[in-house]
Amino acid sequence: MIQTPLSAERADQDAASRTAVGAVADAATQADADEQASLARLVSTSGERLPNAELDPWVAELDAAAIAELYQDMAVIRRLDAEGTALQRQGEIGLWPPLLGQEASQIGSARALRGDDFVFATYRDMGVAWARGVRPSDLNRVWRGATASGWNPYEVNMAPLQVIIGAQTLHATGYALGIQNDGADAVALTYLGDGASSQGDVNEALIFAASYQAPVVFFCQNNHWAISEPVGLQAHRPIADRAPGFGIPSMRVDGNDVLAVLAATRLAVERARTGGGPSFIEAVTYRMGPHTTADDPRKYRDPADLEIWAPRDPLARIEALLRGLGAFTREFEQQVADAADTAAAAVRAETIAIAQPAAHELFEHIYAEPHSGLARQRAEYLRYLAQFEEPTESGQPSTDGGAR
């Protein structure tokens, strides 16, 4: 076929475009390879146990049974995560932020803590909440819109999940200063995402923590996406590199390797517990699902990214490790499936049973003590709601504040 000059020019443009796209893809692939090579890791994607002189001592006591427990924990929170998405799609809760892909980061870090340590987490850390002992019904209380908080923080030593990006890092640092003032040896651990690392609150928390050598660990789950913004846009160097600028030691670990995450967190927690001050961990992982159930990542994410990260699955590599140790038996597999199904069934049943509170209850948990200003707002709101109430038998509107 003889091309016309116009079609030849178009062909040249297409070829140049393909070359440019190929160059960008090659650069992205190389950047990914460089990143993976830089991470501290104890288990390869194929399940091979890797030596690491710095991390090995912190998980030396883990036998096959202990590793199997970590696997079961990850399997359970993955099942709970799927149940959360299903409940949202069925209208039982208003929103759900999936954690698929981040199971190792959440379980490895949470299992490094003592009961008297205190956690300040963000909205995606439902796996951490489960590991801290939050009841199934309390996991979804906020997402069902029934309360502003899901649980009593002092029963599980974990603050309610924070939706304001990065604010929880300041809370953690303040709590750590209290621990320091009391002369206790507990530790505060705060979770944040790669997007939150650019927030002013986080940088202020790092300054305060470093200035007062507060016993706090900053645990950043770099899942590569701040909603639709790729991490490379706001971090031209690894996020962990920022902490030393504040005088805080940092470590970058494979966030899909539960053993590496557990070891790194134990190291940082022990450092804080023994007066060594704050630490910063960047757990490099990947958000395999949407930002929330209100998001469609197909609008901004290359599907090829999922193909790259799928073989790095946190559960698959531990399954391979356990199979190599002869510990991934049919009985164990069934035990894990039963535990996950039981937890999911409990979350579903207890979530659906959560009663909707009366509207006036909104005013009952804002301040520790009532005051006249709050009472006035409450009265005004009840009068407003009463306009929509059906008259009672006495002919007067109901005063239950719009309870449904």
Side-chain angles (χ1 to χ4, degrees):
M1 175 181 178
I2 299 175
Q3 292 180 323
T4 64
L6 182 61
S7 61
E9 181 181 355
R10 177 60 182 271
D12 289 343
Q13 291 174 348
D14 288 347
S17 177
R18 285 195 296 273
T19 300
V21 170
V24 170
D26 290 345
T29 301
Q30 185 59 49
D32 175 73
D34 291 344
E35 178 178 77
Q36 287 296 307
S38 72
L39 304 179
R41 182 178 292 116
L42 289 176
V43 182
S44 72
T45 55
S46 59
E48 179 187 5
R49 181 67 167 83
L50 304 173
N52 183 296
E54 186 174 19
L55 296 182
D56 277 335
W58 297 96
V59 290
E61 92 288 1
L62 293 185
D63 56 14
I67 297 171
E69 288 181 7
L70 294 171
Y71 177 88
Q72 179 165 315
D73 285 345
M74 292 193 294
V76 168
I77 66 170
R78 176 170 290 188
R79 181 70 177 83
L80 292 178
D81 184 49
E83 197 67 25
T85 296
L87 285 166
Q88 193 280 327
R89 296 305 190 211
Q90 294 162 8
E92 296 294 347
I93 58 177
L95 189 71
W96 182 257
L99 59 82
L100 182 63
Q102 299 180 218
E103 296 89 350
S105 291
Q106 297 198 13
I107 291 299
S109 54
R111 291 304 187 202
L113 299 174
R114 289 192 329 211
D116 62 341
D117 295 329
F118 212 101
V119 173
F120 296 82
T122 185
Y123 51 85
R124 200 182 305 284
D125 300 322
M126 301 298 282
V128 176
W130 178 83
R132 293 295 287 176
V134 172
R135 286 183 49 79
S137 59
D138 291 339
L139 285 172
N140 279 337
R141 202 171 293 280
V142 168
W143 302 118
R144 193 167 166 82
T147 180
S149 171
W151 53 81
N152 181 344
Y154 298 106
E155 290 181 353
V156 292
N157 273 16
M158 178 172 177
L161 299 177
Q162 180 58 260
V163 176
I164 300 172
I165 305 301
Q168 72 281 0
T169 59
L170 285 169
H171 306 160
T173 301
Y175 189 90
L177 291 173
I179 293 173
Q180 189 179 61
N181 187 59
D182 290 345
D185 69 346
V187 168
L189 187 145
T190 181
Y191 292 85
L192 64 146
D194 45 286
S197 67
S198 296
Q199 288 289 99
D201 281 2
V202 173
N203 289 269
E204 291 164 14
L206 290 167
I207 291 171
F208 265 88
S211 297
Y212 295 99
Q213 289 295 284
V216 56
V217 175
F218 296 87
F219 190 90
C220 176
Q221 294 179 79
N222 174 4
N223 69 15
H224 284 78
W225 291 98
I227 308 182
S228 59
E229 181 178 293
V231 65
L233 190 62
Q234 60 174 308
H236 287 222
R237 291 184 55 82
I239 294 171
D241 285 358
R242 298 178 183 177
F246 294 93
I248 297 176
S250 66
M251 176 177 285
R252 208 168 190 229
V253 300
D254 184 338
N256 285 13
D257 176 357
V258 70
L259 264 59
V261 172
L262 176 64
T265 311
R266 282 178 169 178
L267 191 163
V269 166
E270 183 64 13
R271 183 173 183 276
R273 201 183 303 287
T274 55
S279 298
F280 188 101
I281 297 170
E282 179 188 358
V284 179
T285 179
Y286 197 82
R287 192 194 77 207
M288 297 297 284
H291 175 67
T292 69
T293 45
D295 172 46
D296 181 1
R298 295 173 299 179
K299 303 292 185 184
Y300 55 82
R301 184 165 67 185
D302 187 342
D305 286 356
L306 299 180
E307 296 178 8
I308 292 173
W309 280 90
R312 300 169 183 166
D313 182 74
L315 276 75
R317 72 176 66 184
I318 297 301
E319 177 182 337
L321 174 65
L322 290 171
R323 287 190 184 280
L325 297 171
F328 201 90
T329 61
R330 286 188 176 180
E331 291 76 15
F332 173 67
E333 192 171 12
Q334 187 60 53
Q335 170 191 315
V336 171
D338 291 345
D341 287 345
T342 299
V347 164
R348 168 169 288 276
E350 295 189 23
T351 296
I352 294 174
I354 295 172
Q356 288 294 323
H360 64 79
E361 293 182 27
L362 173 67
F363 297 89
E364 296 179 358
H365 306 290
I366 299 175
Y367 294 95
E369 301 291 338
H371 60 78
S372 58
L374 190 65
R376 184 176 63 254
Q377 290 180 35
R378 181 179 186 276
E380 290 175 352
Y381 188 53
L382 291 182
R383 282 197 296 274
Y384 168 76
L385 292 176
Q387 300 176 75
F388 308 101
E389 294 290 339
E390 293 293 333
T392 62
E393 292 183 358
S394 65
Q396 298 298 317
S398 168
T399 58
D400 67 356
R404 289 171 290 170

